[in-house]
Amino acid sequence: MNQQADGLSRRAMLARTGLAAAALTAARVLGDAAPAQAAAQAAWRVPGEEAAHKRTWMSWPHSSTIWGNLLSKIQADIAKLAKEVARYEPVTMCANGSANAAKARTMCGSTVTVISSVPVSDCWIRDAGPLFRVDGAGNRDAFGLNFNAWGENATRFYGIPASAYDNDRTLARNLAASLGLPFARAAVVGEGGGIEYDGDGTLIATESCWINSNRNPGKTRAQIEAELLSRFGASKLIWVPGVTGQDVTDGHIDGTARYIGPGVVMVQLAGAVRPDVWTRNAQAIRDTLANATDARGRRLQVLTIEGPDTLPRIPSGQRGDFLSSYMNWTVTNQAVITVQFGDTAKDAAAKTAIANAFGRPVVQLNLDNLYGNGGGGAHCVTMQEPQP
């Protein structure tokens, strides 16, 4: 039985598995990746997530090889989130084949569109799906970040066969093709959850995800930075440290720091339930951003909230591995959807702070299975498609 079936978090500590922290060399060659030309692509950009959406994309988890006996609980949380997002903008769910599509339709209801024409492996469409760009003239295209199951950490952490994620390795290309959009593979490997973008020229990324031999062996920070800037249509990347080897993502930025809009970011300082390594990392990210300027020369305005101090619904032995992040929200056209953890005071404070920052209503859901057993959140399982 894989470790997910035993109930360990997707982001569980390497020490829990007894495996070394040494990174694997990326095994898959980027056959059609070519360095992007910044001058040629200057008009194209990935809009900030607060910009108008055409729809939200999601993908339906179906694999017992990946999830074991947790599958039905994860499906229930995905369905709950999809129905909530669909109150504010269209949602299209990719399901793997007709049988899985039928189950997704039953659980998600009539407000969610389910398609079976784009094969998927799992629910993490933020990491595996395409990033959509616009050019200001009504055109769109897309690119992919060559998803490789978080540097093949899914195999190292949980013993899940690499082949279990084969559909997600091609999800970005296949979804773009289904929409008839031009598509390109980036010349780097990474995930959408590993980078934040303001749509106005500035990116934020954790070094631990990108400058890592399990994703980009042999590439320098300057090479990775140049490629990301070109693909996103940006001119400045603010690097923050991150944490290597402590979770399957190697410290994605979207659990700690997020853009509210150009010039404004929010950072969650760890609550009492998080291990010290994450507390120190959050403070380091906050300090880096507070001293940074963006592509327009603005000193970033850094807002902070605090994570929960308790997770009353979660057994004490499982709290350290729980993604207790309000930051892993998903933005919709009319509301921001995040979570509540049962810490009444911290839940209320986070809701108020996020609502004030965005000027939009905030919905807090109980997604304990996704954030606990899954180790990811609402942002990890959604991908916005912008209006042209």
Side-chain angles (χ1 to χ4, degrees):
M1 182 178 291
N2 67 61
Q3 291 176 7
Q4 284 288 19
D6 291 334
L8 294 184
S9 165
R10 167 177 170 261
R11 298 175 180 238
M13 308 280 280
L14 273 175
R16 298 285 294 277
T17 68
L19 299 179
L24 295 176
T25 300
R28 298 179 185 263
V29 178
L30 310 185
D32 61 352
Q37 300 300 314
Q41 298 188 13
W44 291 96
R45 66 183 179 89
V46 178
E49 293 181 32
E50 79 286 355
H53 299 176
K54 182 180 178 67
R55 77 185 111 191
T56 285
W57 288 91
M58 298 181 69
S59 55
W60 185 250
H62 69 277
S63 172
S64 58
T65 299
I66 294 173
W67 288 108
N69 59 13
L70 298 172
L71 180 59
S72 61
K73 295 179 179 180
I74 297 299
Q75 288 175 334
D77 273 7
I78 293 295
K80 181 192 294 187
L81 177 62
K83 287 187 283 189
E84 188 64 36
V85 174
R87 294 179 59 197
Y88 307 104
E89 63 184 61
V91 175
T92 301
M93 179 82 68
C94 300
N96 201 56
S98 58
N100 289 309
K103 185 169 187 180
R105 290 187 187 101
T106 297
M107 293 185 69
C108 294
S110 60
T111 61
V112 175
T113 299
V114 179
I115 63 172
S116 60
S117 55
V118 179
V120 295
S121 299
D122 206 354
C123 56
W124 311 111
I125 198 167
R126 175 69 52 181
D127 293 346
L131 286 126
F132 298 97
R133 305 192 306 180
V134 298
D135 70 351
N139 301 308
R140 293 180 300 148
D141 72 0
F143 66 93
L145 291 169
N146 304 293
F147 178 72
N148 71 342
W150 310 280
E152 308 302 343
N153 279 341
T155 298
R156 287 218 315 284
F157 274 48
Y158 311 122
I160 298 171
S163 59
Y165 291 95
D166 279 353
N167 287 333
D168 283 357
R169 296 175 197 274
T170 57
L171 173 58
R173 180 189 68 203
N174 291 337
L175 201 162
S178 75
L179 295 172
L181 294 179
F183 176 79
R185 298 172 67 192
V188 292
V189 173
E191 303 88 36
I195 191 162
E196 278 287 303
Y197 38 93
D198 69 350
D200 195 38
T202 309
L203 310 177
I204 305 171
T206 45
E207 293 183 349
S208 54
C209 293
W210 297 93
I211 310 169
N212 191 322
S213 61
N214 66 9
R215 292 168 173 88
N216 293 298
K219 284 188 167 59
T220 66
R221 186 169 93 162
Q223 290 171 326
I224 296 166
E225 179 174 321
E227 176 68 358
L228 290 172
L229 290 174
S230 181
R231 292 294 178 189
F232 279 84
S235 58
K236 183 167 185 176
L237 197 163
I238 302 170
W239 289 103
V240 295
V243 177
T244 303
Q246 296 293 318
D247 74 346
V248 76
T249 73
D250 290 308
H252 274 181
I253 187 68
D254 67 351
T256 304
R258 302 289 305 280
Y259 267 112
I260 302 297
V264 184
V265 295
M266 182 176 282
V267 177
Q268 177 175 308
L269 302 178
V273 295
R274 295 294 278 158
D276 287 347
V277 63
W278 297 109
T279 302
R280 293 191 298 270
N281 179 62
Q283 188 62 55
I285 289 175
R286 185 263 170 206
D287 292 347
T288 299
L289 295 177
N291 289 292
T293 55
D294 67 11
R296 306 290 183 182
R298 295 171 291 217
R299 177 63 63 94
L300 290 178
Q301 180 185 357
V302 181
L303 310 175
T304 59
I305 61 174
E306 294 183 359
D309 290 324
T310 183
L311 301 170
R313 299 186 294 260
I314 307 302
S316 59
Q318 298 176 18
R319 293 176 186 174
D321 293 336
F322 195 101
L323 180 63
S324 52
S325 173
Y326 300 110
M327 308 300 297
N328 203 270
W329 60 58
T330 187
V331 181
T332 74
N333 286 332
Q334 299 174 39
V336 179
I337 301 170
T338 185
V339 283
Q340 50 89 358
F341 298 115
D343 182 332
T344 305
K346 290 296 185 69
D347 289 349
K351 182 176 183 178
T352 297
I354 296 167
N356 288 342
F358 276 103
R360 303 183 192 188
V362 171
V363 178
Q364 290 183 305
L365 301 178
N366 177 341
L367 298 173
D368 283 356
N369 287 299
L370 183 63
Y371 280 70
N373 296 317
H379 190 247
C380 300
V381 299
T382 54
M383 176 59 80
Q384 73 283 351
E385 180 185 347
Q387 291 285 2

